[in-house]
Amino acid sequence: MRVLMFGWEFPPHIAGGLGTACKGIVEGLAHNGVETLFVMPHASGDEDQTCTRIIDASDVAVASVSDTVDEFLDKVKFLHVDSNLVPYVDPDEYFEAIEEMKRNQVHQTRIGFGQKFCFSGKYGANLLEEVSRYAQVGGTIAMQHAGEFDVIHAHDWLTYLAGIAAKELSGKPLVVHVHATSFDRGTDDMVDSRVFAIEKRGMEAADKVVAVSEFTRNIVINKYGISPDKVVAVHNAVDFSGREDVDVQRGVKDKVVTFLGRITFQKGPEYFIDAAAKVLKRTKNVRFVMAGSGDMMNRAIRQVARLGISDRFHFTGFLKGQDVQNMFALSDVYIMPSVSEPFGISPLEAMRSNVPSIISHQSGAAEVLKYAFKVDFWDVDAMADDIYALLQYPALSKFASQRGLEEVNSLKWDYATEKLKAVYESIIK
């Protein structure tokens, strides 16, 4: 079986969990006898292609003259994208950004025969324009490789239009993989109508919709009106390849509690900081680390200063690769207090490193992790109690570490992709 897969990023150059998940999926599929052609907007050339062949969309010339996306390749229909989007902003900045976008409309994408686009592959201000262009290039790729795949797999809304184009032009079935929805990035009244429309269009056009958790599956069914029979939950997993025990030297004797993720509304950084302040009222032999970057970074720094815990709180900036493993090795407790988390791979990685973890009930990972401590994201008192208990009671911490490691050992991509392969087989004619 062969799959044409559309993604947006791939290790080692990633901005979040989507690229990590894509790598785990193509490797797991390879171990289950499934070949993949992985398309991404901009490849750097140093991606690991052991288990997949990567196609750089920036190196593909469009095969048809089109003045607008709707005209691309005759009758293939696309949703018009006529403005920019800045993702991952808090409520105040979100509405500010929307008003700015309305004031600064951009022209429709125009393409010419044989023209290539240099995609950034990032999540910048022209993201929606790149999504539109990616759809046109995706259609061209589907024509060029028509005999090389049996099914199309598109990851998240950024690639749904490309997946639709590939389906229209090849006649092959389409799977869309929902790693997050508009409702995870904001509240119901903050949902961007343009992104929602792309998500809904992709889900409706798909032959099957794969959600990363039952939590996300319910959102797809209830918020997007997709038939339950069409939506399958396949939980994410953790990548064990190339992982070795890390030996790092601490510069302090204090215990370390770590938040690792985007510093943005969805991830609940303000609740982590509030819980840290409560823990520090009970013990001083602990330091808190916020590893990541995002639109709420400055706000988080001000919150730490306002609470008077700056001497016990550290910001590392964005971490990747070995730095992530080193951070886990330095940690005594990991916490993911997400407001809305479709799944959340990072606690699995922490538990793989023998770090006891605390996660929010509002996460897909809570469905599969029995030995992670679970709290509501807003319950900072319970969060602080769990942190304090894991720091002060070695027997509890040891139990959580040992059982957590045993648990994540059963959550491997090989097992998750067995389910994905079954999804493919159910729609291939």
Side-chain angles (χ1 to χ4, degrees), residues 187-228:
T187 58
D188 286 12
D189 58 352
M190 283 173 52
V191 169
D192 185 281
S193 60
R194 299 155 303 170
V195 177
F196 175 84
I198 294 174
E199 291 172 325
K200 185 174 175 64
R201 187 179 179 90
M203 294 173 193
E204 289 175 342
D207 297 273
K208 282 287 185 180
V209 177
V210 173
V212 294
S213 62
E214 291 293 342
F215 176 84
T216 301
R217 180 176 182 268
N218 288 333
I219 292 176
V220 169
I221 294 168
N222 297 320
K223 299 290 188 181
Y224 294 85
I226 306 303
S227 169

Side-chain angles (χ1 to χ4, degrees), residues 301-312:
I301 293 172
R302 291 193 297 269
Q303 183 181 357
V304 167
R306 186 174 64 253
L307 292 170
I309 59 174
S310 300
D311 61 329
R312 297 273 122 191

Side-chain angles (χ1 to χ4, degrees), residues 87-273:
Y88 309 136
V89 294
D90 65 25
D92 293 337
E93 292 170 323
Y94 179 88
F95 290 111
E96 238 177 71
I98 293 300
E99 291 307 312
E100 181 64 22
M101 290 173 199
K102 290 177 180 176
R103 291 192 293 268
N104 297 290
Q105 298 293 312
V106 298
H107 297 293
Q108 289 181 344
T109 303
R110 293 179 177 271
I111 63 175
F113 179 81
Q115 182 177 349
K116 296 180 182 179
F117 291 110
C118 185
F119 293 94
S120 70
K122 305 296 183 183
Y123 301 90
N126 66 335
L127 182 59
L128 278 174
E129 184 180 359
E130 291 213 343
V131 168
S132 175
R133 291 176 175 179
Y134 194 41
Q136 298 181 58
V137 177
T140 299
I141 291 170
M143 290 192 297
Q144 293 175 344
H145 299 272
E148 300 177 39
F149 60 92
D150 306 296
V151 65
I152 304 152
H153 188 151
H155 291 281
D156 247 356
W157 71 272
L158 298 159
T159 75
Y160 288 174
L161 296 184
I164 293 172
K167 176 179 179 176
E168 292 288 339
L169 294 166
S170 68
K172 302 294 176 64
L174 169 65
V175 173
V176 301
H177 204 137
V178 185
H179 295 265
T181 71
S182 289
F183 298 93
D184 298 303
R185 292 181 283 269
T187 58
D188 286 12
D189 58 352
M190 283 173 52
V191 169
D192 185 281
S193 60
R194 299 155 303 170
V195 177
F196 175 84
I198 294 174
E199 291 172 325
K200 185 174 175 64
R201 187 179 179 90
M203 294 173 193
E204 289 175 342
D207 297 273
K208 282 287 185 180
V209 177
V210 173
V212 294
S213 62
E214 291 293 342
F215 176 84
T216 301
R217 180 176 182 268
N218 288 333
I219 292 176
V220 169
I221 294 168
N222 297 320
K223 299 290 188 181
Y224 294 85
I226 306 303
S227 169
D229 295 337
K230 189 175 175 178
V231 191
V232 180
V234 178
H235 290 102
N236 280 338
V238 63
D239 183 9
F240 287 84
S241 63
R243 299 292 176 88
E244 298 178 358
D245 291 334
V246 179
D247 183 19
V248 294
Q249 299 299 315
R250 292 194 184 204
V252 296
K253 295 181 180 179
D254 301 321
K255 296 292 183 69
V256 176
V257 180
T258 299
F259 168 110
L260 190 151
R262 292 193 314 276
I263 305 177
T264 192
F265 171 78
Q266 177 191 352
K267 300 296 183 179
E270 66 269 43
Y271 302 104
F272 173 68
I273 296 170

Side-chain angles (χ1 to χ4, degrees), residues 11-43:
H13 306 287
I14 60 173
L18 179 59
T20 302
C22 286
K23 183 174 185 291
I25 287 170
V26 298
E27 290 178 347
L29 287 173
H31 297 158
N32 281 288
V34 179
E35 300 176 13
T36 56
L37 286 172
F38 189 88
V39 184
M40 58 190 300
H42 180 77

Side-chain angles (χ1 to χ4, degrees), residues 328-349:
F328 285 141
L330 288 167
S331 302
D332 296 284
V333 177
Y334 174 78
I335 183 163
M336 185 183 75
S338 299
V339 174
S340 180
E341 187 71 53
F343 188 80
I345 292 177
S346 56
L348 277 66
E349 295 179 325

Side-chain angles (χ1 to χ4, degrees), residues 64-99:
S64 178
V65 176
S66 303
D67 285 334
T68 66
V69 178
D70 281 331
E71 294 176 9
F72 177 62
L73 296 181
D74 197 22
K75 299 296 182 181
V76 180
K77 299 297 183 183
F78 290 91
L79 192 70
H80 282 293
V81 174
D82 57 2
S83 57
N84 295 331
L85 175 72
V86 181
Y88 309 136
V89 294
D90 65 25
D92 293 337
E93 292 170 323
Y94 179 88
F95 290 111
E96 238 177 71
I98 293 300
E99 291 307 312

Side-chain angles (χ1 to χ4, degrees), residues 352-371:
R352 165 67 180 85
S353 301
N354 283 304
V355 183
S357 297
I358 302 168
I359 62 178
S360 70
H361 284 297
Q362 292 73 27
S363 66
E367 299 170 11
V368 296
L369 293 178
K370 180 180 178 181
Y371 291 102

